[in-house]
Amino acid sequence: MQNLEAKFKLYDLELARKRAEALKYEFKATMVQRDTFFRVNHGKLKLREEAAGAWLISYGREDSVDLKLSNYQIVAVTPPAEMLAMMSDAIGVLATVRKTRHLLMRDNIRLHLDIVDGLGDFGEIEAVLAENGNPEDSRAGVEELLGALDVNRKNLIGASYYEMLRPLK
């Protein structure tokens, strides 16, 4: 699976939500998530836990601070506590990220309004691509949302939340 994504700092989550809703983005859910990142040789691997369930997610992204194309795989995990213990023992944990995520969607584009423990407020846009989809087909929608949120392309963030947290530890 693939998506086209952008991450950026936000200073007013409620304003961002109102601007997205003006573009017909619909609020879908609020999720409290814990992402545990594991040591791997290629890409990133995390166990995401939330009230609705748990998933092992592997992904790799282009090394860019601009819009990034991400390849990912998701596998449902039960029971997550045993998976966390096994993976921690086998390959080790890099970091744990805790966040509250507000999800808004329009068509194939997701807007995550994130409150990340220890980091603050951020936005993430993910345009989920159809199988063999062309990222360029979603670029205009992503650009429209970035513009509505008043995000300057030079302020896009290339690092994951755990990479941003690591220097603080």
Side-chain angles (χ1 to χ4, degrees):
M1 300 172 66
Q2 289 188 313
N3 64 25
L4 184 65
E5 58 185 59
K7 182 185 300 178
F8 42 90
K9 181 76 174 146
L10 282 174
Y11 299 96
D12 189 336
L13 290 181
E14 189 56 34
L15 178 60
R17 182 175 174 162
K18 288 178 182 175
R19 288 180 174 178
E21 287 172 339
L23 294 176
K24 306 295 184 215
Y25 280 79
E26 294 181 22
F27 173 78
K28 297 295 185 181
T30 296
M31 301 155 285
V32 177
Q33 299 177 331
R34 180 174 73 178
D35 290 344
T36 303
F37 289 82
F38 300 102
R39 296 183 191 284
V40 293
N41 291 330
H42 303 286
K44 293 179 175 64
L45 178 66
K46 66 185 172 187
L47 175 64
R48 170 163 292 157
E49 298 172 88
E50 60 185 54
W55 300 267
L56 200 56
I57 303 169
S58 71
Y59 63 98
R61 293 188 188 121
E62 298 173 336
D63 189 16
S64 166
V65 294
D66 197 42
L67 298 181
K68 298 178 287 283
L69 187 61
S70 178
N71 295 293
Y72 63 97
Q73 296 179 340
I74 301 174
V75 176
V77 172
T78 57
E82 286 83 352
M83 177 63 77
L84 176 60
M86 181 183 76
M87 297 292 286
S88 298
D89 288 344
I91 59 178
V93 171
L94 287 172
T96 299
V97 175
R98 289 175 175 80
K99 65 183 175 290
T100 300
R101 170 166 281 177
H102 304 284
L103 171 64
L104 290 89
M105 292 182 65
R106 185 184 81 186
D107 301 324
N108 69 314
I109 300 177
R110 302 174 184 172
L111 171 62
H112 303 147
L113 300 176
D114 291 340
I115 304 165
V116 183
D117 290 3
L119 288 178
D121 299 343
F122 293 85
E124 282 189 351
I125 300 171
E126 294 179 347
V128 179
L129 306 181
E131 190 172 332
N132 299 319
N134 183 347
E136 295 306 313
D137 294 342
S138 297
R139 188 173 292 274
V142 172
E143 297 282 0
E144 175 191 36
L145 185 52
L146 285 170
L149 298 176
D150 200 26
V151 174
N152 187 318
R153 294 280 291 265
K154 69 180 181 180
N155 293 330
L156 295 180
I157 298 168
S160 66
Y161 293 139
Y162 94 81
E163 291 166 322
M164 293 178 352
L165 280 168
R166 282 175 65 181
L168 300 175
K169 291 187 174 192

